[in-house]
PDB file of all heavy atoms in Angstrom:
ATOM      1  N   ASP A 156      15.708  78.051  18.719  1.00 95.00           N
ATOM      2  CA  ASP A 156      16.733  78.777  17.808  1.00 95.00           C
ATOM      3  C   ASP A 156      16.446  78.583  16.460  1.00 95.00           C
ATOM      4  O   ASP A 156      16.654  79.484  15.572  1.00 95.00           O
ATOM      5  CB  ASP A 156      17.992  78.251  18.146  1.00 95.00           C
ATOM      6  CG  ASP A 156      18.569  78.697  19.608  1.00 95.00           C
ATOM      7  OD1 ASP A 156      18.421  79.853  19.971  1.00 95.00           O
ATOM      8  OD2 ASP A 156      19.054  77.841  20.398  1.00 95.00           O
ATOM      9  N   PHE A 157      16.039  77.363  15.972  1.00 95.00           N
ATOM     10  CA  PHE A 157      15.683  77.167  14.622  1.00 95.00           C
ATOM     11  C   PHE A 157      14.481  78.097  14.308  1.00 95.00           C
ATOM     12  O   PHE A 157      14.528  78.629  13.086  1.00 95.00           O
ATOM     13  CB  PHE A 157      15.228  75.700  14.424  1.00 95.00           C
ATOM     14  CG  PHE A 157      14.887  75.316  13.000  1.00 95.00           C
ATOM     15  CD1 PHE A 157      15.929  75.220  11.997  1.00 95.00           C
ATOM     16  CD2 PHE A 157      13.709  75.116  12.639  1.00 95.00           C
ATOM     17  CE1 PHE A 157      15.606  74.894  10.741  1.00 95.00           C
ATOM     18  CE2 PHE A 157      13.352  74.726  11.290  1.00 95.00           C
ATOM     19  CZ  PHE A 157      14.363  74.639  10.371  1.00 95.00           C
ATOM     20  N   GLU A 158      13.582  78.176  15.039  1.00 94.00           N
ATOM     21  CA  GLU A 158      12.357  78.990  14.750  1.00 94.00           C
ATOM     22  C   GLU A 158      12.882  80.543  14.640  1.00 94.00           C
ATOM     23  O   GLU A 158      12.314  81.290  13.769  1.00 94.00           O
ATOM     24  CB  GLU A 158      11.367  78.958  15.883  1.00 94.00           C
ATOM     25  CG  GLU A 158      10.110  79.708  15.555  1.00 94.00           C
ATOM     26  CD  GLU A 158       8.934  79.499  16.615  1.00 94.00           C
ATOM     27  OE1 GLU A 158       9.207  78.841  17.560  1.00 94.00           O
ATOM     28  OE2 GLU A 158       7.901  80.114  16.406  1.00 94.00           O
ATOM     29  N   ALA A 159      13.707  80.881  15.428  1.00 96.00           N
ATOM     30  CA  ALA A 159      14.288  82.289  15.362  1.00 96.00           C
ATOM     31  C   ALA A 159      14.996  82.610  14.113  1.00 96.00           C
ATOM     32  O   ALA A 159      14.812  83.644  13.395  1.00 96.00           O
ATOM     33  CB  ALA A 159      15.150  82.675  16.606  1.00 96.00           C
ATOM     34  N   VAL A 160      15.734  81.572  13.504  1.00 97.00           N
ATOM     35  CA  VAL A 160      16.457  81.765  12.341  1.00 97.00           C
ATOM     36  C   VAL A 160      15.372  81.805  11.211  1.00 97.00           C
ATOM     37  O   VAL A 160      15.548  82.550  10.224  1.00 97.00           O
ATOM     38  CB  VAL A 160      17.347  80.548  12.043  1.00 97.00           C
ATOM     39  CG1 VAL A 160      17.930  80.502  10.678  1.00 97.00           C
ATOM     40  CG2 VAL A 160      18.544  80.609  13.092  1.00 97.00           C
ATOM     41  N   THR A 161      14.366  80.997  11.204  1.00 96.00           N
ATOM     42  CA  THR A 161      13.241  81.065  10.151  1.00 96.00           C
ATOM     43  C   THR A 161      12.596  82.416  10.120  1.00 96.00           C
ATOM     44  O   THR A 161      12.169  82.778   8.928  1.00 96.00           O
ATOM     45  CB  THR A 161      12.231  79.904  10.389  1.00 96.00           C
ATOM     46  OG1 THR A 161      11.522  80.260  11.561  1.00 96.00           O
ATOM     47  CG2 THR A 161      12.825  78.630  10.423  1.00 96.00           C
ATOM     48  N   LYS A 162      12.711  83.128  11.089  1.00 96.00           N
ATOM     49  CA  LYS A 162      11.952  84.517  11.200  1.00 96.00           C
ATOM     50  C   LYS A 162      12.977  85.543  10.824  1.00 96.00           C
ATOM     51  O   LYS A 162      12.534  86.640  10.587  1.00 96.00           O
ATOM     52  CB  LYS A 162      11.459  84.791  12.554  1.00 96.00           C
ATOM     53  CG  LYS A 162      10.129  83.783  12.885  1.00 96.00           C
ATOM     54  CD  LYS A 162       9.730  84.023  14.304  1.00 96.00           C
ATOM     55  CE  LYS A 162       8.540  83.171  14.567  1.00 96.00           C
ATOM     56  NZ  LYS A 162       7.984  83.366  15.999  1.00 96.00           N
ATOM     57  N   ASN A 163      14.165  85.289  10.619  1.00 97.00           N
ATOM     58  CA  ASN A 163      15.148  86.277  10.271  1.00 97.00           C
ATOM     59  C   ASN A 163      15.365  86.272   8.709  1.00 97.00           C
ATOM     60  O   ASN A 163      15.787  85.349   8.116  1.00 97.00           O
ATOM     61  CB  ASN A 163      16.562  85.925  10.828  1.00 97.00           C
ATOM     62  CG  ASN A 163      17.594  86.876  10.737  1.00 97.00           C
ATOM     63  OD1 ASN A 163      17.703  87.677   9.740  1.00 97.00           O
ATOM     64  ND2 ASN A 163      18.381  87.088  11.749  1.00 97.00           N
ATOM     65  N   ASP A 164      14.893  87.459   8.206  1.00 96.00           N
ATOM     66  CA  ASP A 164      14.855  87.444   6.712  1.00 96.00           C
ATOM     67  C   ASP A 164      16.261  87.626   5.968  1.00 96.00           C
ATOM     68  O   ASP A 164      16.382  87.606   4.837  1.00 96.00           O
ATOM     69  CB  ASP A 164      13.979  88.738   6.217  1.00 96.00           C
ATOM     70  CG  ASP A 164      14.456  90.002   6.754  1.00 96.00           C
ATOM     71  OD1 ASP A 164      15.556  90.150   7.377  1.00 96.00           O
ATOM     72  OD2 ASP A 164      13.735  91.098   6.567  1.00 96.00           O
ATOM     73  N   LYS A 165      17.372  87.706   6.817  1.00 96.00           N
ATOM     74  CA  LYS A 165      18.655  87.678   6.224  1.00 96.00           C
ATOM     75  C   LYS A 165      19.269  86.275   6.325  1.00 96.00           C
ATOM     76  O   LYS A 165      20.336  86.091   5.664  1.00 96.00           O
ATOM     77  CB  LYS A 165      19.543  88.610   7.148  1.00 96.00           C
ATOM     78  CG  LYS A 165      19.174  90.162   7.029  1.00 96.00           C
ATOM     79  CD  LYS A 165      20.073  90.975   7.905  1.00 96.00           C
ATOM     80  CE  LYS A 165      19.596  92.451   7.883  1.00 96.00           C
ATOM     81  NZ  LYS A 165      20.548  93.341   8.684  1.00 96.00           N
ATOM     82  N   LEU A 166      18.526  85.390   6.788  1.00 98.00           N
ATOM     83  CA  LEU A 166      18.992  83.988   6.879  1.00 98.00           C
ATOM     84  C   LEU A 166      18.018  82.948   6.282  1.00 98.00           C
ATOM     85  O   LEU A 166      16.961  83.390   5.824  1.00 98.00           O
ATOM     86  CB  LEU A 166      19.170  83.535   8.271  1.00 98.00           C
ATOM     87  CG  LEU A 166      20.049  84.515   9.199  1.00 98.00           C
ATOM     88  CD1 LEU A 166      20.001  84.080  10.627  1.00 98.00           C
ATOM     89  CD2 LEU A 166      21.429  84.448   8.643  1.00 98.00           C
ATOM     90  N   SER A 167      18.374  81.837   6.017  1.00 97.00           N
ATOM     91  CA  SER A 167      17.444  80.773   5.570  1.00 97.00           C
ATOM     92  C   SER A 167      17.722  79.443   6.328  1.00 97.00           C
ATOM     93  O   SER A 167      18.629  79.348   7.001  1.00 97.00           O
ATOM     94  CB  SER A 167      17.589  80.602   4.020  1.00 97.00           C
ATOM     95  OG  SER A 167      18.910  80.154   3.749  1.00 97.00           O
ATOM     96  N   THR A 168      16.829  78.502   5.993  1.00 97.00           N
ATOM     97  CA  THR A 168      16.956  77.284   6.721  1.00 97.00           C
ATOM     98  C   THR A 168      16.727  76.093   5.668  1.00 97.00           C
ATOM     99  O   THR A 168      16.089  76.364   4.555  1.00 97.00           O
ATOM    100  CB  THR A 168      15.830  77.000   7.765  1.00 97.00           C
ATOM    101  OG1 THR A 168      14.596  77.223   7.302  1.00 97.00           O
ATOM    102  CG2 THR A 168      16.006  78.050   8.926  1.00 97.00           C
ATOM    103  N   VAL A 169      17.159  75.026   5.966  1.00 96.00           N
ATOM    104  CA  VAL A 169      16.989  73.654   5.060  1.00 96.00           C
ATOM    105  C   VAL A 169      16.846  72.614   6.108  1.00 96.00           C
ATOM    106  O   VAL A 169      17.291  72.579   7.133  1.00 96.00           O
ATOM    107  CB  VAL A 169      18.264  73.566   4.247  1.00 96.00           C
ATOM    108  CG1 VAL A 169      19.508  73.143   4.985  1.00 96.00           C
ATOM    109  CG2 VAL A 169      17.933  72.395   3.195  1.00 96.00           C
ATOM    110  N   SER A 170      16.073  71.583   5.607  1.00 95.00           N
ATOM    111  CA  SER A 170      15.744  70.442   6.513  1.00 95.00           C
ATOM    112  C   SER A 170      15.500  69.328   5.700  1.00 95.00           C
ATOM    113  O   SER A 170      15.170  69.337   4.454  1.00 95.00           O
ATOM    114  CB  SER A 170      14.541  70.696   7.519  1.00 95.00           C
ATOM    115  OG  SER A 170      13.358  71.057   6.752  1.00 95.00           O
ATOM    116  N   ALA A 171      15.666  68.105   6.326  1.00 93.00           N
ATOM    117  CA  ALA A 171      15.332  66.797   5.540  1.00 93.00           C
ATOM    118  C   ALA A 171      15.152  65.664   6.493  1.00 93.00           C
ATOM    119  O   ALA A 171      15.898  65.589   7.502  1.00 93.00           O
ATOM    120  CB  ALA A 171      16.508  66.499   4.688  1.00 93.00           C
ATOM    121  N   PRO A 172      14.191  64.735   6.206  1.00 93.00           N
ATOM    122  CA  PRO A 172      13.985  63.714   7.206  1.00 93.00           C
ATOM    123  C   PRO A 172      15.173  62.777   7.090  1.00 93.00           C
ATOM    124  O   PRO A 172      15.875  62.439   5.959  1.00 93.00           O
ATOM    125  CB  PRO A 172      12.665  62.972   6.602  1.00 93.00           C
ATOM    126  CG  PRO A 172      12.603  63.524   5.322  1.00 93.00           C
ATOM    127  CD  PRO A 172      13.188  64.805   5.160  1.00 93.00           C
ATOM    128  N   LYS A 173      15.595  62.232   8.208  1.00 93.00           N
ATOM    129  CA  LYS A 173      16.781  61.445   8.256  1.00 93.00           C
ATOM    130  C   LYS A 173      16.496  59.987   8.535  1.00 93.00           C
ATOM    131  O   LYS A 173      15.367  59.725   9.148  1.00 93.00           O
ATOM    132  CB  LYS A 173      17.733  61.878   9.252  1.00 93.00           C
ATOM    133  CG  LYS A 173      19.110  62.020   9.038  1.00 93.00           C
ATOM    134  CD  LYS A 173      19.402  62.965   7.928  1.00 93.00           C
ATOM    135  CE  LYS A 173      20.868  63.161   7.547  1.00 93.00           C
ATOM    136  NZ  LYS A 173      21.062  64.103   6.546  1.00 93.00           N
ATOM    137  N   GLY A 174      17.345  59.065   8.130  1.00 93.00           N
ATOM    138  CA  GLY A 174      17.058  57.593   8.584  1.00 93.00           C
ATOM    139  C   GLY A 174      17.356  57.401   9.994  1.00 93.00           C
ATOM    140  O   GLY A 174      18.175  56.282  10.269  1.00 93.00           O
ATOM    141  N   THR A 175      16.971  58.116  10.912  1.00 93.00           N
ATOM    142  CA  THR A 175      17.407  58.074  12.273  1.00 93.00           C
ATOM    143  C   THR A 175      16.178  58.261  13.175  1.00 93.00           C
ATOM    144  O   THR A 175      15.347  59.006  12.950  1.00 93.00           O
ATOM    145  CB  THR A 175      18.321  59.322  12.604  1.00 93.00           C
ATOM    146  OG1 THR A 175      19.538  59.268  11.694  1.00 93.00           O
ATOM    147  CG2 THR A 175      18.888  59.098  14.050  1.00 93.00           C
ATOM    148  N   VAL A 176      16.176  57.246  14.245  1.00 96.00           N
ATOM    149  CA  VAL A 176      14.999  57.409  15.124  1.00 96.00           C
ATOM    150  C   VAL A 176      15.553  57.461  16.499  1.00 96.00           C
ATOM    151  O   VAL A 176      16.606  57.035  16.863  1.00 96.00           O
ATOM    152  CB  VAL A 176      14.187  56.084  14.931  1.00 96.00           C
ATOM    153  CG1 VAL A 176      13.401  56.106  13.675  1.00 96.00           C
ATOM    154  CG2 VAL A 176      14.862  54.754  15.179  1.00 96.00           C
ATOM    155  N   MET A 177      14.748  58.138  17.371  1.00 97.00           N
ATOM    156  CA  MET A 177      15.096  58.157  18.807  1.00 97.00           C
ATOM    157  C   MET A 177      14.154  57.293  19.624  1.00 97.00           C
ATOM    158  O   MET A 177      12.866  57.253  19.280  1.00 97.00           O
ATOM    159  CB  MET A 177      15.166  59.577  19.448  1.00 97.00           C
ATOM    160  CG  MET A 177      15.420  59.797  20.803  1.00 97.00           C
ATOM    161  SD  MET A 177      15.863  61.486  21.324  1.00 97.00           S
ATOM    162  CE  MET A 177      17.574  61.596  20.990  1.00 97.00           C
ATOM    163  N   TYR A 178      14.583  56.542  20.616  1.00 98.00           N
ATOM    164  CA  TYR A 178      13.823  55.647  21.353  1.00 98.00           C
ATOM    165  C   TYR A 178      14.358  55.616  22.692  1.00 98.00           C
ATOM    166  O   TYR A 178      15.379  55.984  23.189  1.00 98.00           O
ATOM    167  CB  TYR A 178      14.056  54.319  20.606  1.00 98.00           C
ATOM    168  CG  TYR A 178      15.429  53.705  20.815  1.00 98.00           C
ATOM    169  CD1 TYR A 178      15.761  52.943  21.815  1.00 98.00           C
ATOM    170  CD2 TYR A 178      16.318  54.071  19.828  1.00 98.00           C
ATOM    171  CE1 TYR A 178      17.162  52.603  21.894  1.00 98.00           C
ATOM    172  CE2 TYR A 178      17.700  53.625  19.864  1.00 98.00           C
ATOM    173  CZ  TYR A 178      18.050  52.876  20.982  1.00 98.00           C
ATOM    174  OH  TYR A 178      19.496  52.402  21.117  1.00 98.00           O
ATOM    175  N   ILE A 179      13.378  55.159  23.695  1.00 98.00           N
ATOM    176  CA  ILE A 179      13.644  54.702  25.026  1.00 98.00           C
ATOM    177  C   ILE A 179      13.704  53.209  25.120  1.00 98.00           C
ATOM    178  O   ILE A 179      12.815  52.494  24.589  1.00 98.00           O
ATOM    179  CB  ILE A 179      12.711  55.248  26.024  1.00 98.00           C
ATOM    180  CG1 ILE A 179      12.605  56.771  26.086  1.00 98.00           C
ATOM    181  CG2 ILE A 179      12.905  54.628  27.395  1.00 98.00           C
ATOM    182  CD1 ILE A 179      11.578  57.395  26.761  1.00 98.00           C
ATOM    183  N   SER A 180      14.802  52.418  25.644  1.00 98.00           N
ATOM    184  CA  SER A 180      14.761  51.045  25.717  1.00 98.00           C
ATOM    185  C   SER A 180      14.834  50.630  27.147  1.00 98.00           C
ATOM    186  O   SER A 180      15.352  51.229  28.069  1.00 98.00           O
ATOM    187  CB  SER A 180      16.037  50.629  25.048  1.00 98.00           C
ATOM    188  OG  SER A 180      17.173  50.948  25.651  1.00 98.00           O
ATOM    189  N   LEU A 181      14.241  49.393  27.344  1.00 98.00           N
ATOM    190  CA  LEU A 181      14.163  48.847  28.549  1.00 98.00           C
ATOM    191  C   LEU A 181      14.937  47.517  28.689  1.00 98.00           C
ATOM    192  O   LEU A 181      14.640  46.569  27.949  1.00 98.00           O
ATOM    193  CB  LEU A 181      12.617  48.435  28.818  1.00 98.00           C
ATOM    194  CG  LEU A 181      11.550  49.619  29.097  1.00 98.00           C
ATOM    195  CD1 LEU A 181      11.551  50.524  27.886  1.00 98.00           C
ATOM    196  CD2 LEU A 181      10.129  49.087  29.355  1.00 98.00           C
ATOM    197  N   ASN A 182      15.857  47.502  29.598  1.00 98.00           N
ATOM    198  CA  ASN A 182      16.713  46.240  29.748  1.00 98.00           C
ATOM    199  C   ASN A 182      15.945  45.130  30.337  1.00 98.00           C
ATOM    200  O   ASN A 182      15.436  45.213  31.375  1.00 98.00           O
ATOM    201  CB  ASN A 182      17.988  46.709  30.684  1.00 98.00           C
ATOM    202  CG  ASN A 182      18.949  45.570  30.549  1.00 98.00           C
ATOM    203  OD1 ASN A 182      18.744  44.432  30.063  1.00 98.00           O
ATOM    204  ND2 ASN A 182      20.244  45.889  31.000  1.00 98.00           N
ATOM    205  N   GLN A 183      15.914  44.021  29.607  1.00 98.00           N
ATOM    206  CA  GLN A 183      15.115  42.935  29.993  1.00 98.00           C
ATOM    207  C   GLN A 183      15.740  42.191  31.071  1.00 98.00           C
ATOM    208  O   GLN A 183      15.167  41.118  31.638  1.00 98.00           O
ATOM    209  CB  GLN A 183      14.805  42.008  28.807  1.00 98.00           C
ATOM    210  CG  GLN A 183      13.974  42.653  27.754  1.00 98.00           C
ATOM    211  CD  GLN A 183      12.598  43.198  28.328  1.00 98.00           C
ATOM    212  OE1 GLN A 183      11.693  42.529  28.432  1.00 98.00           O
ATOM    213  NE2 GLN A 183      12.530  44.487  28.675  1.00 98.00           N
ATOM    214  N   LYS A 184      16.878  42.560  31.499  1.00 98.00           N
ATOM    215  CA  LYS A 184      17.645  41.869  32.663  1.00 98.00           C
ATOM    216  C   LYS A 184      17.010  42.420  33.959  1.00 98.00           C
ATOM    217  O   LYS A 184      17.214  41.871  35.081  1.00 98.00           O
ATOM    218  CB  LYS A 184      19.024  42.265  32.711  1.00 98.00           C
ATOM    219  CG  LYS A 184      19.861  41.351  31.639  1.00 98.00           C
ATOM    220  CD  LYS A 184      21.386  41.662  31.849  1.00 98.00           C
ATOM    221  CE  LYS A 184      22.212  40.600  30.931  1.00 98.00           C
ATOM    222  NZ  LYS A 184      23.628  40.598  31.271  1.00 98.00           N
TER     223      LYS A 184
END
């Protein structure tokens, strides 16, 4: 959907890197 918006000349997009990471965690129990 983001790509579709970027291709629509009537719309625009904005983005910024965030101080957020995604991870998988393994319970040591």
Side-chain angles (χ1 to χ4, degrees):
D156 293 309
F157 183 71
E158 185 175 4
V160 172
T161 63
K162 294 178 179 179
N163 189 326
D164 57 9
K165 296 181 180 180
L166 306 174
S167 64
T168 61
V169 64
S170 63
K173 226 58 177 182
T175 306
V176 294
M177 181 166 273
Y178 63 92
I179 297 171
S180 65
L181 291 62
N182 192 343
Q183 298 302 280
K184 288 190 172 188

